Amino acid sequence: CPLKTTIRRERNYEVYDAYGHQSRRESLTWLPEIKDCAAVFYPLTISSFVTEHQIWMGEKSNPSKPTQTENAVDLIRSKIIDLTLPPGSRLDEALLINEFKLGRTPAREALNRLAAEGFVHILPHRGGTQVRALDLKEITQILQAYHLSEIILGQLCNFSDKSLVNDLNEIQSQHEEAIRKRDFLDITRSNVMFHMRIYNTIDNEYIIKFVKSAHDHTRRLTVLLYTMETREPKFFDEQLKIVVDQHRQIIDAVQKAD
């Protein structure tokens, strides 16, 4: 698909996995406008990586309850992805404790985890932590990683996964419903689920980790692109239609083992 991936959708709603099992309830926070961009508001919530990971992996077991640190990581990562915490902005424990209402230990552990994921840089000699840049060099590297991940998928996809087509159809139904509602975060969330479900057929944890990182870092760029594209509604609608058509073509190709 074109660069129409990622992010999560959020609202005060019941979250179901790809098999229709209720996994958790989400809460809603409305985000401010992104400066110099179209007047678009993006909902934000804390979500559990465990649940999404199980969807990608085709698992039907109930997820374990996320820890406070996992919730903190998800919250901060989401705010970085949707540009509430803009590239280059500084973070510190005091901000996370006072504004995000996190405990000191979860806040510190969350920053360390996000640094390991590459979303922030810890500045030991200058104090605090800085959100990763989103400049031309960064965008180029994101696109290269994303493109490489799609090449890997095309070469290694395993068509013998008997539940793959049904799972893709279920996820695609969610994706098209999100497009109908013009819910940007749900559009991108379901798009990632769609692709990750196919990646799981490769059954290679090293590839899965690389691909997940590539998709996660693509999310910030996608938010920016969506925001800019809303200035041209007709063009934006056409791009979303292309994504739907491509997903349907992918499902058809998988079904034919092509």
Side-chain angles (χ1 to χ4, degrees):
C1 298
L3 196 59
K4 297 291 177 288
T5 58
T6 73
I7 323 184
R8 306 177 177 84
R9 134 158 140 121
E10 328 242 306
R11 209 162 272 208
N12 201 1
Y13 72 109
E14 312 256 311
V15 178
Y16 295 83
D17 64 19
Y19 304 93
H21 298 150
Q22 182 180 341
S23 56
R24 64 191 185 280
R25 187 171 185 84
E26 300 285 10
S27 60
L28 170 69
T29 302
W30 287 102
L31 306 180
E33 289 182 81
I34 300 174
K35 292 183 179 179
D36 302 322
C37 293
V40 177
F41 290 82
Y42 294 91
L44 166 70
T45 171
I46 300 175
S47 60
S48 168
F49 163 72
V50 176
T51 303
E52 291 189 357
H53 180 68
Q54 287 181 326
I55 293 172
W56 297 339
M57 301 301 287
E59 299 173 7
K60 298 186 180 183
S61 57
N62 292 326
S64 58
K65 184 177 180 181
T67 65
Q68 189 178 8
T69 297
E70 289 170 338
N71 281 340
V73 171
D74 284 338
L75 174 62
I76 301 167
R77 186 195 296 114
S78 294
K79 287 183 176 291
I80 292 173
I81 287 170
D82 62 28
L83 305 179
T84 300
L85 292 171
S89 60
R90 293 176 67 86
L91 298 173
D92 55 36
E93 290 182 20
L95 173 68
L96 302 181
I97 292 169
N98 298 329
E99 186 167 336
F100 296 160
K101 310 304 180 185
L102 301 176
R104 185 174 299 278
T105 298
R108 183 182 301 115
E109 291 177 351
L111 289 178
N112 289 333
R113 284 264 301 273
L114 290 167
E117 293 179 10
F119 281 103
V120 302
H121 297 298
I122 297 176
L123 310 172
H125 301 298
R126 287 176 284 175
T129 304
Q130 190 174 56
V131 176
R132 186 169 185 152
L134 193 56
D135 53 20
L136 182 59
K137 178 181 178 181
E138 178 73 8
I139 291 172
T140 300
Q141 292 181 353
I142 290 172
L143 293 176
Q144 288 173 339
Y146 182 84
H147 180 62
L148 179 59
S149 69
E150 295 295 277
I151 292 174
I152 293 171
L153 181 60
Q155 293 178 342
L156 301 180
C157 177
N158 181 3
F159 296 112
S160 65
D161 188 329
K162 295 181 180 180
S163 64
L164 179 58
V165 172
N166 287 338
D167 289 349
L168 291 178
N169 277 317
E170 290 182 20
I171 296 171
Q172 182 59 17
S173 294
Q174 299 175 30
H175 183 66
E176 291 180 20
E177 177 65 14
I179 288 177
R180 187 186 67 79
K181 295 178 179 179
R182 290 298 187 266
D183 187 327
F184 293 164
L185 293 186
D186 205 24
I187 291 170
T188 54
R189 178 194 64 84
S190 54
N191 194 34
V192 170
M193 287 173 56
F194 183 92
H195 286 266
M196 293 304 299
R197 180 61 186 89
I198 306 175
Y199 281 112
N200 179 54
T201 67
I202 299 174
D203 193 25
N204 185 314
E205 64 178 278
Y206 298 102
I207 291 176
I208 294 296
K209 289 178 181 178
F210 163 70
V211 168
K212 181 183 182 297
S213 177
H215 276 280
D216 281 347
H217 286 277
T218 301
R219 291 173 177 172
R220 286 199 301 166
L221 180 55
T222 306
V223 169
L224 182 60
L225 290 175
Y226 274 173
T227 305
M228 293 188 293
E229 287 175 356
T230 55
R231 299 171 180 173
E232 299 290 342
K234 183 177 180 180
F235 173 78
F236 185 51
D237 291 346
E238 291 173 351
Q239 294 303 303
L240 291 177
K241 184 179 183 302
I242 290 172
V243 173
V244 170
D245 291 343
Q246 290 182 337
H247 275 201
R248 286 299 171 187
Q249 291 170 15
I250 289 172
I251 293 174
D252 185 60
V254 170
Q255 195 161 20
K256 295 176 180 178
D258 184 4

